[in-house]
Amino acid sequence: MLTVSNVVLEHIGRAGEDRYCSLKLPNLELYAVFDGHGGSEVSEFLRATLPYRLLSKLQQIDLTDPCAVKRTIVSAFLETDGEIAELKCKSGSTAVVALILSDIIYLVNLGDSRGGIFNKRGDIYLRTSDHKPDRPDEKDRIYKAGGRVVNYDVPRIDSSGSYSLALSRAFGDMELKRPLALVSVHPEVYALPTREYIFGGLNIILASDGLWDTLSTEQVVRAHLNLPAVMNYACNKTTDDITVMFIKVV
């Protein structure tokens, strides 16, 4: 039986658009960080709806079937983004989610919030890949959809001469999804079977990009035993919101 504890560290920067949540069921635990941009409407909507939709849909399938789990996660993301479209808001949000089942941990990423799984020695077993417009596969998808990627302080999607989003996947941002699908809401789902790792203990970290813009994954993992110091360092380097969820699995 897994024992899970979690710690949340939060710094409210210039925007106050980060949100987070955790939910626990007997056979499933969920942790998530949402980093809003252009307002907090979408990140707040995600906090209030996405975890419950995911848990409801997952309870209807065979949780020992990784393919079924991944299909269900993608379906929940697509359905949620459809509801966001009806809100007609201008904002958007990333999402990074950890799902802990009996013998598999799933990391789900959309945008440039980031998650990782590592042991107490700092060996990284799994990490997500940020969805940036200049990531080769993302750049290729954007160009095929009729957009461009330009360097305007950072790589951004160029839509009709408007240098806009520095992300290639997100919830919301409907002006970049319709009529051209320049931004995707399709998440990347990673899975780590825990049988061979759990006896040494596992740690999960989820954080918004305010942390990763100042420190690498390796730096954060090496210093994970002193997360308050990590947070203090990052807060002195950025005015962005920072939310960190640290989950210890034993």
Side-chain angles (χ1 to χ4, degrees), residues 63-75:
L63 294 179
T64 65
D65 181 352
C67 291
V69 171
K70 290 180 180 181
R71 286 195 302 269
T72 300
I73 291 169
V74 172
S75 173

PDB file of all heavy atoms in Angstrom, residues 63-75:
ATOM      1  N   LEU A  63      -8.582   0.644 -14.464  1.00  0.00           N
ATOM      2  CA  LEU A  63      -7.404   1.447 -14.151  1.00  0.00           C
ATOM      3  C   LEU A  63      -6.100   0.673 -14.327  1.00  0.00           C
ATOM      4  O   LEU A  63      -5.020   1.266 -14.257  1.00  0.00           O
ATOM      5  CB  LEU A  63      -7.494   1.981 -12.723  1.00  0.00           C
ATOM      6  CG  LEU A  63      -8.610   2.985 -12.454  1.00  0.00           C
ATOM      7  CD1 LEU A  63      -8.606   3.417 -10.994  1.00  0.00           C
ATOM      8  CD2 LEU A  63      -8.488   4.200 -13.372  1.00  0.00           C
ATOM      9  N   THR A  64      -6.190  -0.630 -14.568  1.00  0.00           N
ATOM     10  CA  THR A  64      -4.978  -1.406 -14.836  1.00  0.00           C
ATOM     11  C   THR A  64      -4.612  -1.402 -16.314  1.00  0.00           C
ATOM     12  O   THR A  64      -3.598  -1.980 -16.700  1.00  0.00           O
ATOM     13  CB  THR A  64      -5.152  -2.865 -14.367  1.00  0.00           C
ATOM     14  OG1 THR A  64      -6.176  -3.508 -15.152  1.00  0.00           O
ATOM     15  CG2 THR A  64      -5.533  -2.923 -12.895  1.00  0.00           C
ATOM     16  N   ASP A  65      -5.426  -0.744 -17.143  1.00  0.00           N
ATOM     17  CA  ASP A  65      -5.183  -0.663 -18.579  1.00  0.00           C
ATOM     18  C   ASP A  65      -4.616   0.713 -18.915  1.00  0.00           C
ATOM     19  O   ASP A  65      -5.359   1.696 -19.007  1.00  0.00           O
ATOM     20  CB  ASP A  65      -6.492  -0.901 -19.338  1.00  0.00           C
ATOM     21  CG  ASP A  65      -6.334  -0.859 -20.850  1.00  0.00           C
ATOM     22  OD1 ASP A  65      -5.234  -0.493 -21.334  1.00  0.00           O
ATOM     23  OD2 ASP A  65      -7.307  -1.183 -21.556  1.00  0.00           O
ATOM     24  N   PRO A  66      -3.291   0.838 -19.099  1.00  0.00           N
ATOM     25  CA  PRO A  66      -2.690   2.154 -19.357  1.00  0.00           C
ATOM     26  C   PRO A  66      -3.249   2.851 -20.592  1.00  0.00           C
ATOM     27  O   PRO A  66      -3.384   4.082 -20.605  1.00  0.00           O
ATOM     28  CB  PRO A  66      -1.197   1.836 -19.525  1.00  0.00           C
ATOM     29  CG  PRO A  66      -0.994   0.563 -18.784  1.00  0.00           C
ATOM     30  CD  PRO A  66      -2.270  -0.208 -18.987  1.00  0.00           C
ATOM     31  N   CYS A  67      -3.566   2.094 -21.625  1.00  0.00           N
ATOM     32  CA  CYS A  67      -4.110   2.719 -22.838  1.00  0.00           C
ATOM     33  C   CYS A  67      -5.462   3.360 -22.563  1.00  0.00           C
ATOM     34  O   CYS A  67      -5.751   4.463 -23.036  1.00  0.00           O
ATOM     35  CB  CYS A  67      -4.228   1.681 -23.958  1.00  0.00           C
ATOM     36  SG  CYS A  67      -2.633   1.108 -24.595  1.00  0.00           S
ATOM     37  N   ALA A  68      -6.299   2.670 -21.791  1.00  0.00           N
ATOM     38  CA  ALA A  68      -7.612   3.214 -21.445  1.00  0.00           C
ATOM     39  C   ALA A  68      -7.457   4.456 -20.567  1.00  0.00           C
ATOM     40  O   ALA A  68      -8.193   5.442 -20.729  1.00  0.00           O
ATOM     41  CB  ALA A  68      -8.443   2.160 -20.734  1.00  0.00           C
ATOM     42  N   VAL A  69      -6.512   4.428 -19.650  1.00  0.00           N
ATOM     43  CA  VAL A  69      -6.275   5.584 -18.790  1.00  0.00           C
ATOM     44  C   VAL A  69      -5.855   6.795 -19.621  1.00  0.00           C
ATOM     45  O   VAL A  69      -6.368   7.899 -19.458  1.00  0.00           O
ATOM     46  CB  VAL A  69      -5.201   5.263 -17.727  1.00  0.00           C
ATOM     47  CG1 VAL A  69      -4.800   6.532 -16.971  1.00  0.00           C
ATOM     48  CG2 VAL A  69      -5.719   4.214 -16.748  1.00  0.00           C
ATOM     49  N   LYS A  70      -4.930   6.584 -20.551  1.00  0.00           N
ATOM     50  CA  LYS A  70      -4.443   7.697 -21.377  1.00  0.00           C
ATOM     51  C   LYS A  70      -5.556   8.258 -22.252  1.00  0.00           C
ATOM     52  O   LYS A  70      -5.690   9.478 -22.388  1.00  0.00           O
ATOM     53  CB  LYS A  70      -3.267   7.231 -22.227  1.00  0.00           C
ATOM     54  CG  LYS A  70      -2.020   6.953 -21.406  1.00  0.00           C
ATOM     55  CD  LYS A  70      -0.850   6.499 -22.273  1.00  0.00           C
ATOM     56  CE  LYS A  70       0.384   6.234 -21.432  1.00  0.00           C
ATOM     57  NZ  LYS A  70       1.549   5.808 -22.243  1.00  0.00           N
ATOM     58  N   ARG A  71      -6.375   7.377 -22.843  1.00  0.00           N
ATOM     59  CA  ARG A  71      -7.498   7.856 -23.669  1.00  0.00           C
ATOM     60  C   ARG A  71      -8.465   8.681 -22.834  1.00  0.00           C
ATOM     61  O   ARG A  71      -8.981   9.716 -23.289  1.00  0.00           O
ATOM     62  CB  ARG A  71      -8.229   6.672 -24.305  1.00  0.00           C
ATOM     63  CG  ARG A  71      -7.490   6.005 -25.447  1.00  0.00           C
ATOM     64  CD  ARG A  71      -8.431   5.100 -26.229  1.00  0.00           C
ATOM     65  NE  ARG A  71      -9.034   4.070 -25.397  1.00  0.00           N
ATOM     66  CZ  ARG A  71      -8.521   2.855 -25.211  1.00  0.00           C
ATOM     67  NH1 ARG A  71      -7.370   2.529 -25.792  1.00  0.00           N
ATOM     68  NH2 ARG A  71      -9.131   1.963 -24.456  1.00  0.00           N
ATOM     69  N   THR A  72      -8.708   8.249 -21.616  1.00  0.00           N
ATOM     70  CA  THR A  72      -9.648   8.943 -20.739  1.00  0.00           C
ATOM     71  C   THR A  72      -9.120  10.314 -20.346  1.00  0.00           C
ATOM     72  O   THR A  72      -9.868  11.296 -20.292  1.00  0.00           O
ATOM     73  CB  THR A  72      -9.907   8.089 -19.488  1.00  0.00           C
ATOM     74  OG1 THR A  72     -10.463   6.826 -19.891  1.00  0.00           O
ATOM     75  CG2 THR A  72     -10.862   8.779 -18.545  1.00  0.00           C
ATOM     76  N   ILE A  73      -7.832  10.406 -20.084  1.00  0.00           N
ATOM     77  CA  ILE A  73      -7.227  11.692 -19.732  1.00  0.00           C
ATOM     78  C   ILE A  73      -7.365  12.676 -20.890  1.00  0.00           C
ATOM     79  O   ILE A  73      -7.777  13.830 -20.710  1.00  0.00           O
ATOM     80  CB  ILE A  73      -5.749  11.499 -19.349  1.00  0.00           C
ATOM     81  CG1 ILE A  73      -5.636  10.737 -18.028  1.00  0.00           C
ATOM     82  CG2 ILE A  73      -5.033  12.852 -19.258  1.00  0.00           C
ATOM     83  CD1 ILE A  73      -4.235  10.265 -17.702  1.00  0.00           C
ATOM     84  N   VAL A  74      -7.032  12.235 -22.094  1.00  0.00           N
ATOM     85  CA  VAL A  74      -7.132  13.107 -23.264  1.00  0.00           C
ATOM     86  C   VAL A  74      -8.572  13.550 -23.471  1.00  0.00           C
ATOM     87  O   VAL A  74      -8.845  14.732 -23.729  1.00  0.00           O
ATOM     88  CB  VAL A  74      -6.595  12.387 -24.519  1.00  0.00           C
ATOM     89  CG1 VAL A  74      -6.881  13.213 -25.770  1.00  0.00           C
ATOM     90  CG2 VAL A  74      -5.093  12.137 -24.387  1.00  0.00           C
ATOM     91  N   SER A  75      -9.512  12.627 -23.325  1.00  0.00           N
ATOM     92  CA  SER A  75     -10.927  12.953 -23.489  1.00  0.00           C
ATOM     93  C   SER A  75     -11.368  14.017 -22.482  1.00  0.00           C
ATOM     94  O   SER A  75     -12.087  14.965 -22.826  1.00  0.00           O
ATOM     95  CB  SER A  75     -11.771  11.691 -23.316  1.00  0.00           C
ATOM     96  OG  SER A  75     -13.143  11.985 -23.312  1.00  0.00           O
TER      97      SER A  75
END
